[in-house]
Amino acid sequence: MASKGIAIFIIPIIFSFVYGGAVLGTALSGQMDAVQTHSGGAIDILDLQSQYSSGEKTSVQISVDDSAYDCGDLYITIYDVSGGQKKAVKQGAFFDQCYGESGTLPINDKFSETIDAGQYLLEVQLFDKNGDKFLSASQRFSVQ
């Protein structure tokens, strides 16, 4: 009698873990394919120098030359790469950027940060208005 009770409770639990794991695995593998990267020189980082003095502000503008991205969300992140690992230091997010014909972002705003001495990587990502594909570009610079 006790073995029947254990089987009644254990078998559904095992089944739910197996089935749930399979569903989650399928969902996650489909999610990885949902975001597409487009790299064809359609996005460029403007005004970023290769070297800055300590205390000097780094400011950038982004140029976009792809009509599929006339509106979207822009993310600019500065990573410290001095220690060999990529560690986020500063980030800016500019939502609903619709540039029309000009193609320069952010609109009516600036990304400008003061950073300590070190080696850095600036990375920009522009997601389309649906959020399912993006353009990206990166550039290294140093602060002394």
Side-chain angles (χ1 to χ4, degrees), residues 54-118:
S54 186
E56 186 179 358
K57 285 192 178 256
T58 59
S59 62
V60 297
Q61 290 269 308
I62 309 305
S63 171
V64 181
D65 186 23
D66 190 332
S67 60
Y69 295 89
D70 62 344
C71 287
D73 296 334
L74 174 69
Y75 298 93
I76 303 174
T77 308
I78 298 177
Y79 295 99
D80 183 352
V81 293
S82 299
Q85 292 183 345
K86 210 166 127 175
K87 178 182 161 191
V89 176
K90 304 276 183 174
Q91 185 174 34
F94 305 92
F95 301 109
D96 297 324
Q97 296 287 299
C98 294
Y99 60 82
E101 297 297 318
S102 73
T104 305
L105 301 173
I107 295 180
N108 299 326
D109 208 346
K110 269 206 174 254
F111 179 80
S112 181
E113 298 289 339
T114 303
I115 303 170
D116 296 332

